[in-house]
Amino acid sequence: MARNSDNYPSYEVPGEDFDPKREVEEAIDAGEKALACLNRASKSLDSASGWGMLDIFGGGLISGLAKHHRIDEAQDALREAQSSLAVFSRELSDVREFSGLKVDISRGWTFADFFFDGAISDIVVQSKIEDARSRVDHARDSVRETLARLEKLR
């Protein structure tokens, strides 16, 4: 692929004013928004995990309520993150070096069911919190790596 003097790919898209710099900036903005959502989810899951451990070891009603409140916060952030990651993936497809690259966190991430479907014991809920934390960490790492690659195109 031919490159122009600004280290951006040069090609024409019929009927469109294609600006590689703008596309990179849009992808970076979308990635940063997705990362912010994932960071919020991570913070809520960390808190839920702490309350969950307390709940396992006899924390009582208050710790159970606090844990579920944090889980609700995490679910909200994760729903927003899924939407933001979809936008990020679309923006990445506009940056030709990244066409075909997807940041996928959807596998098994139906959060409304994820925490509450058959969660009978505190230990089961804690296990699901830890699994969600691991998935969020993986998604954050993937977004960070992609953002670092995009920064090189700026």
Side-chain angles (χ1 to χ4, degrees):
M1 173 183 304
R3 294 197 175 264
N4 66 19
S5 62
D6 293 326
N7 291 328
Y8 288 93
S10 70
Y11 40 80
E12 293 181 28
V13 177
E16 245 182 69
D17 286 335
F18 184 79
D19 180 359
K21 289 181 182 183
R22 184 188 74 229
E23 298 301 339
V24 168
E25 290 302 321
E26 288 174 354
I28 289 172
D29 288 345
E32 288 173 348
K33 288 176 186 173
L35 189 57
C37 294
L38 290 166
N39 286 336
R40 272 196 325 276
S42 180
K43 184 177 178 181
S44 294
L45 288 167
D46 288 346
S47 181
S49 179
W51 284 109
M53 291 304 291
L54 181 61
D55 203 23
I56 288 170
F57 294 108
L61 179 64
I62 300 296
S63 64
L65 290 173
K67 172 182 69 178
H68 285 286
H69 176 71
R70 296 297 184 240
I71 289 170
D72 289 344
E73 288 177 347
Q75 286 178 301
D76 291 342
L78 289 168
R79 276 190 282 277
E80 192 175 337
Q82 283 180 312
S83 176
S84 295
L85 286 168
V87 171
F88 186 38
S89 289
R90 280 194 306 274
E91 292 298 338
L92 284 175
S93 70
D94 292 342
V95 179
R96 298 306 192 247
E97 284 82 359
F98 289 88
S99 67
L101 177 67
K102 299 258 188 256
V103 179
D104 183 24
I105 65 162
S106 62
R107 189 185 86 245
W109 281 42
T110 54
F111 293 103
D113 297 331
F114 190 74
F115 290 109
F116 299 111
D117 187 29
I120 298 170
S121 74
D122 295 335
I123 293 171
V124 170
V125 173
Q126 188 67 20
S127 172
K128 290 182 178 188
I129 291 169
E130 297 306 321
D131 185 45
R133 287 173 70 188
S134 174
R135 291 174 188 229
V136 167
D137 287 346
H138 176 72
R140 288 189 327 170
D141 290 345
S142 181
V143 170
R144 283 184 188 125
E145 289 171 15
T146 304
L147 284 171
R149 289 177 56 199
L150 284 166
E151 286 291 337
K152 291 178 183 177
L153 295 175
R154 257 190 170 156

